[in-house]
Amino acid sequence: MLRKIRITLAALFFTGITLLFLDFTGTAHQWLGWMAKVQFLPALLATNVIVVAALIALTLLFGRIYCSVICPLGVMQDIFAFFGRKSKRYRYSYSPAKNILRYTMLALFVAAIIAGISSVVALLAPYSAYGRIAQSLLSPVWAMGNNLLAYFAERADSYAFYTTEVWLKSSVTLGVAVATLIITGILAWRNGRTWCNAICPVGTVLGFLSRFSLLKPRIDTAKCNGCGLCERGCKAACIDSKNHKIDYSRCVTCMDCLENCKKGAFSYGLRYKKQECETAGSGDGLSRRSFISATTIIAASSLVKAEEQKIKGSLAVIEDKKIPERSTRIVPPGAKSIRNMTKHCTSCQLCVTVCPNEVLRPSNNLSTLMQPEMSYERGYCRPECTKCSEVCPTGAINLITKEDKSATQIGHAIVIRENCVAITDNVSCGNCARHCPVGAITMVAAEQGKKSPKVPVVNVERCIGCGACEHLCPARPLSAIYVDGHTTHRTI
């Protein structure tokens, strides 16, 4: 019964979180957005004390139930392990904990957070790793399915569905997602929870806490006949059936052992013997190092929380735009600064998924690899849109109001007069000035004289960097006006 309850809850969480990355309408986030915000690392980076405390309490009470129910990457590994088990059900065996590897990865992760090396944090964060898989691999399939339904609905004079564009946002992010899927999939298929217990930093921290959990699987030596089914069916490789010991730092509370045991020697409840509290293959020295590692990551990850803001505009799809060379990348208003974005973002791609104007896309720059940045070839950031700030679970993009967003300067427009069609084609345009939502662009005569063409001039004190001018500029291949980002945002 406990195993069935665990599987049911895991399926609900996994389905809900997957929908967050597939839904391009924003509807799912109204009901399921909290699932992203109860993930351990995002809550830690967002300094969400209530969620972090609740997850720690959950672990101290039930063990690593987070890894087998709430974490989407953990549940995905269980799915691979399930299909791998079809070939041979009892195929695992006990192995000592790979403590040197797991604590090295944790130390590397903590060092990356402190040093602000976001690419390392993004690669190791379990929730973000699954987010990239869902957004890069599953989301296009979902969108194509939606477009197929929209096609048939249109033939039936129905507008229940509408088409959405399917495009590759980042080849680098796609490659990382594919590599992550292959590595975790093969490890889970062959060896169960190797990734969780040897590489994942969240698993290492929660593994230390789970050693002191109130409820945990127990072995009744009087009933055990030494058949070893529990050990050979344990995907965490944490049951030493010969010595009747369980490494609780690696046990993910999947309850499989309770079902596998034919003699009823396993139960899940309060510990009452000292030997049942012992962890197989772990010494006191490692326990102290585990404690230091756990406290270090919590202290290092309690970063300064930011504020909020954002922008909106209108659509005018123009083909064949090229990305200009920006001296400073552009991040959404709620990020407050590039520094805050770099320190808090785990590159989960949730904001990229919900961006309605396709302004956000993953960065290909090594220092900010896979973190979202803004570019205006496919659309611009509308002043009334605050979707990315509503879904961000880490505090990298803080919740912002529409009013504050319209007053936040994330960058400023720069005019390249020699590219303007008023100069190159001697025509009257003014597209950028007409569509500027804050009236920061004025058309003035390029030269003295009545017949001189008018070119744009930008009031940098009023410009908020929304990108409407850049996106709607008819000049090709590069716009005659483009936005350069600001390192720190300011209110105008």
Side-chain angles (χ1 to χ4, degrees), residues 160-484:
F161 299 92
Y162 62 89
T163 59
T164 182
E165 191 168 358
V166 182
W167 60 291
L168 178 62
K169 296 180 174 65
S170 170
S171 58
V172 174
T173 302
L174 175 62
V176 171
V178 171
T180 303
L181 179 65
I182 292 174
I183 293 172
T184 55
I186 291 176
L187 288 176
W189 181 282
R190 298 184 60 184
N191 304 310
R193 287 295 190 113
T194 301
W195 176 278
C196 295
N197 287 326
I199 298 175
C200 179
V202 175
T204 300
V205 172
L206 295 181
F208 168 76
L209 296 174
S210 68
R211 295 179 60 201
F212 308 100
S213 63
L214 188 62
L215 303 173
K216 56 182 61 175
R218 297 183 291 109
I219 304 175
D220 187 340
T221 56
K223 294 182 180 180
C224 179
N225 64 354
C227 68
L229 286 181
C230 56
E231 178 180 327
R232 288 184 281 125
C234 178
K235 57 195 172 191
C238 66
I239 300 177
D240 183 358
S241 60
K242 292 182 179 179
N243 298 307
H244 299 99
K245 288 186 177 181
I246 301 175
D247 184 349
Y248 292 115
S249 71
R250 291 185 289 156
C251 176
V252 293
T253 321
C254 66
M255 310 297 180
D256 286 353
C257 53
L258 276 70
E259 183 178 279
N260 291 334
C261 183
K262 308 302 181 183
K263 299 297 181 181
F266 271 85
S267 61
Y268 180 74
L270 296 171
R271 63 177 187 266
Y272 56 85
K273 293 182 180 180
K274 183 179 179 181
Q275 69 178 42
E276 292 171 345
C277 302
E278 294 177 353
T279 301
S282 295
D284 292 338
L286 287 175
S287 299
R288 286 192 291 269
R289 287 198 296 274
S290 299
F291 176 76
I292 293 172
S293 299
T295 53
T296 300
I297 191 173
I298 292 174
S301 300
S302 298
L303 306 173
V304 181
K305 207 176 179 184
E307 248 196 331
E308 342 165 308
Q309 279 182 340
K310 225 177 181 185
I311 316 180
K312 258 193 177 176
S314 225
L315 286 173
V317 178
I318 302 175
E319 301 294 333
D320 301 322
K321 281 275 188 177
K322 286 188 177 180
I323 301 176
E325 293 185 10
R326 311 182 201 275
S327 60
T328 305
R329 71 190 188 108
I330 312 170
V331 295
K336 302 300 289 181
S337 68
I338 291 178
R339 184 175 184 271
N340 180 75
M341 170 67 79
T342 302
K343 284 197 169 186
H344 287 76
C345 181
T346 60
S347 307
C348 73
Q349 310 304 314
L350 196 55
C351 57
V352 175
T353 299
V354 301
C355 182
N357 272 353
E358 299 179 337
V359 170
L360 286 173
R361 71 277 309 272
S363 170
N364 291 332
N365 188 293
L366 185 60
S367 61
T368 58
L369 188 65
M370 298 182 294
Q371 288 194 353
E373 60 184 19
M374 304 172 71
S375 200
Y376 305 117
E377 292 72 51
R378 307 179 73 90
Y380 68 96
C381 194
R382 296 178 291 171
E384 73 275 11
C385 175
T386 59
K387 286 187 179 295
C388 61
S389 73
E390 294 168 3
V391 303
C392 180
T394 67
I397 308 174
N398 290 273
L399 187 62
I400 190 171
T401 64
K402 299 173 184 177
E403 294 75 18
D404 287 340
K405 180 182 177 182
S406 297
T408 298
Q409 189 179 64
I410 61 175
H412 65 279
I414 298 174
V415 178
I416 306 176
R417 293 183 59 172
E418 55 267 29
N419 288 353
C420 184
V421 294
I423 301 295
T424 60
D425 299 339
N426 195 27
V427 296
S428 177
C429 180
N431 226 23
C432 51
R434 283 194 300 272
H435 292 280
C436 179
V438 294
I441 300 176
T442 305
M443 302 301 294
V444 300
E447 299 175 356
Q448 292 183 351
K450 294 183 179 180
K451 294 185 178 181
S452 174
K454 291 186 177 182
V455 295
V457 173
V458 179
N459 182 345
V460 295
E461 296 301 319
R462 296 186 65 178
C463 177
I464 59 175
C466 68
C469 54
E470 178 182 329
H471 174 63
L472 298 172
C473 177
R476 295 291 185 277
L478 293 172
S479 296
I481 185 169
Y482 74 96
V483 178
D484 202 15

